[in-house]
Amino acid sequence: RLLNMFMPGPSGYALRRFVYKKRLKSLGKNCILDIGVQIVGTGNISVGEYTWIDSYTSISALFGSITIGKRVHIAPFTIIGAGKEGLEIKDYVAIGAGCRIYGHSEIQKDGKRMSGPMIPWRYKAYHSGPVILEKDSVLGTNSVVLPGVTIGEGAVVCPGSVITKDIPPWVIAAGIPTRFIGKRDKVSVPDL
Protein backbone atom coordinates (compact mmCIF):
# COMPACT_ATOMS: atom_id res chain seq x y z
CA ARG A 1 0.00 0.00 0.00
CA LEU A 2 2.75 2.49 0.92
CA LEU A 3 4.67 1.67 -2.25
CA ASN A 4 1.51 2.36 -4.25
CA MET A 5 0.90 5.73 -2.54
CA PHE A 6 4.41 7.15 -2.44
CA MET A 7 6.29 5.81 -5.48
CA PRO A 8 7.42 8.89 -7.45
CA GLY A 9 7.60 9.48 -11.18
CA PRO A 10 6.13 7.67 -14.18
CA SER A 11 6.37 4.25 -12.49
CA GLY A 12 4.33 5.52 -9.55
CA TYR A 13 1.69 7.04 -11.85
CA ALA A 14 1.40 3.75 -13.74
CA LEU A 15 1.17 1.69 -10.55
CA ARG A 16 -1.52 3.89 -9.00
CA ARG A 17 -3.49 3.93 -12.27
CA PHE A 18 -3.29 0.10 -12.37
CA VAL A 19 -4.40 -0.30 -8.74
CA TYR A 20 -7.21 2.28 -8.81
CA LYS A 21 -8.52 1.09 -12.20
CA LYS A 22 -9.52 -2.11 -10.36
CA ARG A 23 -10.86 -0.39 -7.22
CA LEU A 24 -12.73 2.70 -8.43
CA LYS A 25 -16.21 2.44 -9.90
CA SER A 26 -14.61 3.80 -13.09
CA LEU A 27 -11.35 5.47 -14.09
CA GLY A 28 -11.00 7.15 -17.50
CA LYS A 29 -7.95 6.92 -19.72
CA ASN A 30 -4.82 8.99 -19.19
CA CYS A 31 -5.62 10.03 -15.61
CA ILE A 32 -2.86 11.01 -13.22
CA LEU A 33 -3.14 9.94 -9.58
CA ASP A 34 -0.22 11.68 -7.94
CA ILE A 35 1.99 10.79 -5.00
CA GLY A 36 0.29 10.57 -1.59
CA VAL A 37 -3.29 10.55 -2.92
CA GLN A 38 -5.66 8.89 -0.43
CA ILE A 39 -9.00 7.57 -1.64
CA VAL A 40 -11.60 6.01 0.66
CA GLY A 41 -14.85 4.44 -0.55
CA THR A 42 -13.33 3.63 -3.92
CA GLY A 43 -16.40 1.71 -5.15
CA ASN A 44 -18.43 4.96 -4.95
CA ILE A 45 -16.05 7.06 -7.07
CA SER A 46 -15.98 7.62 -10.84
CA VAL A 47 -13.25 9.64 -12.55
CA GLY A 48 -13.35 10.85 -16.17
CA GLU A 49 -10.51 10.80 -18.69
CA TYR A 50 -7.50 13.13 -18.60
CA THR A 51 -8.12 14.10 -14.98
CA TRP A 52 -5.25 14.88 -12.62
CA ILE A 53 -5.73 14.27 -8.89
CA ASP A 54 -2.64 16.00 -7.57
CA SER A 55 -0.34 15.08 -4.69
CA TYR A 56 -1.58 14.53 -1.14
CA THR A 57 -5.24 14.99 -2.03
CA SER A 58 -7.76 13.12 0.14
CA ILE A 59 -11.08 11.92 -1.32
CA SER A 60 -13.71 10.19 0.81
CA ALA A 61 -16.89 8.62 -0.54
CA LEU A 62 -17.89 6.58 2.50
CA PHE A 63 -21.28 8.30 2.84
CA GLY A 64 -22.20 8.99 -0.81
CA SER A 65 -20.95 8.87 -4.38
CA ILE A 66 -18.39 11.15 -6.00
CA THR A 67 -18.32 11.74 -9.75
CA ILE A 68 -15.37 13.61 -11.25
CA GLY A 69 -15.60 14.60 -14.91
CA LYS A 70 -13.02 14.74 -17.67
CA ARG A 71 -10.04 17.11 -17.86
CA VAL A 72 -10.40 18.16 -14.22
CA HIS A 73 -7.43 19.24 -12.12
CA ILE A 74 -7.61 18.83 -8.35
CA ALA A 75 -4.51 20.59 -6.98
CA PRO A 76 -2.37 19.33 -4.04
CA PHE A 77 -3.60 19.03 -0.46
CA THR A 78 -7.30 19.21 -1.32
CA ILE A 79 -9.89 17.40 0.82
CA ILE A 80 -13.14 16.18 -0.76
CA GLY A 81 -15.82 14.38 1.26
CA ALA A 82 -19.23 13.36 -0.05
CA GLY A 83 -22.42 13.41 1.98
CA LYS A 84 -25.19 10.89 1.44
CA GLU A 85 -26.64 13.00 -1.41
CA GLY A 86 -23.38 12.78 -3.38
CA LEU A 87 -20.85 15.16 -4.84
CA GLU A 88 -20.29 15.94 -8.52
CA ILE A 89 -17.35 17.72 -10.15
CA LYS A 90 -18.18 18.23 -13.81
CA ASP A 91 -15.87 18.52 -16.84
CA TYR A 92 -13.07 21.12 -17.04
CA VAL A 93 -13.29 22.12 -13.37
CA ALA A 94 -10.15 23.51 -11.70
CA ILE A 95 -9.75 23.13 -7.94
CA GLY A 96 -6.90 25.08 -6.34
CA ALA A 97 -4.45 23.77 -3.76
CA GLY A 98 -5.74 23.24 -0.24
CA CYS A 99 -9.44 23.48 -1.06
CA ARG A 100 -12.00 21.74 1.16
CA ILE A 101 -15.26 20.45 -0.32
CA TYR A 102 -17.71 18.98 2.17
CA GLY A 103 -21.00 17.17 1.49
CA HIS A 104 -21.73 16.96 5.24
CA SER A 105 -20.74 18.97 8.29
CA GLU A 106 -21.60 19.35 11.95
CA ILE A 107 -23.91 22.26 12.82
CA GLN A 108 -25.44 23.72 15.97
CA LYS A 109 -28.95 22.23 16.23
CA ASP A 110 -31.43 20.79 18.74
CA GLY A 111 -28.95 20.55 21.64
CA LYS A 112 -27.08 17.73 19.90
CA ARG A 113 -23.33 17.23 19.95
CA MET A 114 -20.94 18.55 17.33
CA SER A 115 -17.79 16.72 18.38
CA GLY A 116 -17.17 14.66 15.27
CA PRO A 117 -17.20 11.11 14.02
CA MET A 118 -17.01 9.29 17.36
CA ILE A 119 -20.57 10.32 18.32
CA PRO A 120 -23.48 8.07 17.24
CA TRP A 121 -25.51 9.70 14.43
CA ARG A 122 -28.68 9.95 16.57
CA TYR A 123 -26.84 12.25 19.01
CA LYS A 124 -25.05 14.33 16.41
CA ALA A 125 -26.21 17.59 14.81
CA TYR A 126 -25.16 17.65 11.18
CA HIS A 127 -26.13 19.09 7.82
CA SER A 128 -25.81 17.11 4.61
CA GLY A 129 -26.53 18.13 1.04
CA PRO A 130 -25.45 17.55 -2.55
CA VAL A 131 -22.47 19.50 -3.82
CA ILE A 132 -22.09 20.27 -7.53
CA LEU A 133 -19.26 22.08 -9.29
CA GLU A 134 -20.62 22.77 -12.77
CA LYS A 135 -18.59 22.63 -16.00
CA ASP A 136 -15.67 25.10 -16.29
CA SER A 137 -16.01 26.37 -12.71
CA VAL A 138 -12.89 27.31 -10.75
CA LEU A 139 -12.22 27.10 -7.01
CA GLY A 140 -9.35 29.33 -5.85
CA THR A 141 -6.68 28.11 -3.45
CA ASN A 142 -7.84 27.34 0.11
CA SER A 143 -11.54 27.85 -0.63
CA VAL A 144 -14.14 25.96 1.39
CA VAL A 145 -17.39 24.63 -0.09
CA LEU A 146 -20.06 23.59 2.41
CA PRO A 147 -22.92 21.07 1.99
CA GLY A 148 -25.82 21.75 -0.36
CA VAL A 149 -23.95 24.19 -2.63
CA THR A 150 -23.92 24.37 -6.43
CA ILE A 151 -21.17 26.40 -8.09
CA GLY A 152 -22.57 27.46 -11.46
CA GLU A 153 -21.08 26.82 -14.87
CA GLY A 154 -17.94 28.89 -15.41
CA ALA A 155 -18.14 30.57 -12.00
CA VAL A 156 -14.85 31.59 -10.37
CA VAL A 157 -14.42 31.46 -6.59
CA CYS A 158 -11.51 33.61 -5.43
CA PRO A 159 -8.87 32.17 -3.06
CA GLY A 160 -9.76 31.81 0.61
CA SER A 161 -13.52 32.11 0.12
CA VAL A 162 -16.11 30.16 2.10
CA ILE A 163 -19.07 29.11 -0.04
CA THR A 164 -22.30 28.61 1.92
CA LYS A 165 -24.81 29.33 -0.86
CA ASP A 166 -25.14 28.68 -4.59
CA ILE A 167 -22.93 30.66 -6.96
CA PRO A 168 -24.61 31.66 -10.27
CA PRO A 169 -23.01 30.79 -13.62
CA TRP A 170 -20.21 32.94 -15.02
CA VAL A 171 -19.78 35.18 -11.96
CA ILE A 172 -16.68 35.87 -9.87
CA ALA A 173 -17.29 35.39 -6.15
CA ALA A 174 -15.05 36.22 -3.19
CA GLY A 175 -14.94 36.51 0.56
CA ILE A 176 -16.48 35.39 3.81
CA PRO A 177 -19.41 35.65 3.40
CA THR A 178 -19.20 35.31 -0.36
CA ARG A 179 -20.24 38.25 -2.48
CA PHE A 180 -20.30 38.63 -6.25
CA ILE A 181 -17.55 40.94 -7.48
CA GLY A 182 -17.64 40.52 -11.24
CA LYS A 183 -18.44 38.45 -14.30
CA ARG A 184 -16.37 36.07 -16.37
CA ASP A 185 -16.57 35.67 -20.15
CA LYS A 186 -18.16 32.39 -21.26
CA VAL A 187 -15.80 29.74 -22.56
CA SER A 188 -15.67 30.00 -26.35
CA VAL A 189 -13.24 27.20 -27.24
CA PRO A 190 -14.54 23.74 -28.20
CA ASP A 191 -14.72 20.82 -25.78
CA LEU A 192 -11.98 18.22 -26.10
Side-chain angles (χ1 to χ4, degrees):
R1 171 114 171 118
L2 286 177
L3 180 63
N4 172 28
M5 283 181 57
F6 295 107
M7 180 183 281
S11 297
Y13 296 145
L15 179 60
R16 283 184 290 279
R17 211 171 21 253
F18 175 78
V19 168
Y20 282 116
K21 181 83 173 165
K22 294 174 183 271
R23 293 183 179 169
L24 294 172
K25 185 174 182 180
S26 66
L27 179 65
K29 67 180 182 178
N30 296 319
C31 288
I32 298 172
L33 301 167
D34 220 319
I35 189 169
V37 168
Q38 295 183 356
I39 301 176
V40 178
T42 53
N44 292 328
I45 300 172
S46 300
V47 180
E49 63 185 25
Y50 294 96
T51 287
W52 181 3
I53 301 173
D54 220 324
S55 52
Y56 302 101
T57 290
S58 175
I59 300 175
S60 176
L62 285 175
F63 302 114
S65 67
I66 295 177
T67 302
I68 302 170
K70 69 179 181 179
R71 299 193 184 265
V72 170
H73 179 229
I74 302 171
F77 300 101
T78 293
I79 296 174
I80 299 171
K84 61 185 176 185
E85 296 87 354
L87 192 147
E88 186 173 6
I89 299 168
K90 295 192 178 179
D91 300 343
Y92 306 101
V93 168
I95 299 172
C99 287
R100 309 294 188 256
I101 305 170
Y102 300 112
H104 63 251
S105 179
E106 278 82 13
I107 60 171
Q108 186 278 321
K109 180 173 108 180
D110 301 331
K112 292 186 176 182
R113 291 202 162 86
M114 300 171 49
S115 50
M118 302 309 288
I119 303 297
W121 284 100
R122 67 185 177 277
Y123 300 129
K124 186 182 339 191
Y126 68 95
H127 171 65
S128 182
V131 175
I132 301 169
L133 280 68
E134 295 286 358
K135 182 178 177 181
D136 288 306
S137 60
V138 177
L139 268 187
T141 299
N142 290 323
S143 293
V144 178
V145 178
L146 294 177
V149 167
T150 295
I151 297 177
E153 182 176 354
V156 175
V157 175
C158 293
S161 298
V162 177
I163 310 303
T164 61
K165 60 183 179 182
D166 292 351
I167 304 295
W170 306 106
V171 303
I172 301 169
I176 307 168
T178 306
R179 63 193 196 307
F180 308 133
I181 62 170
K183 290 200 171 271
R184 172 188 177 194
D185 292 338
K186 290 186 178 182
V187 171
S188 58
V189 295
D191 289 352
L192 301 172

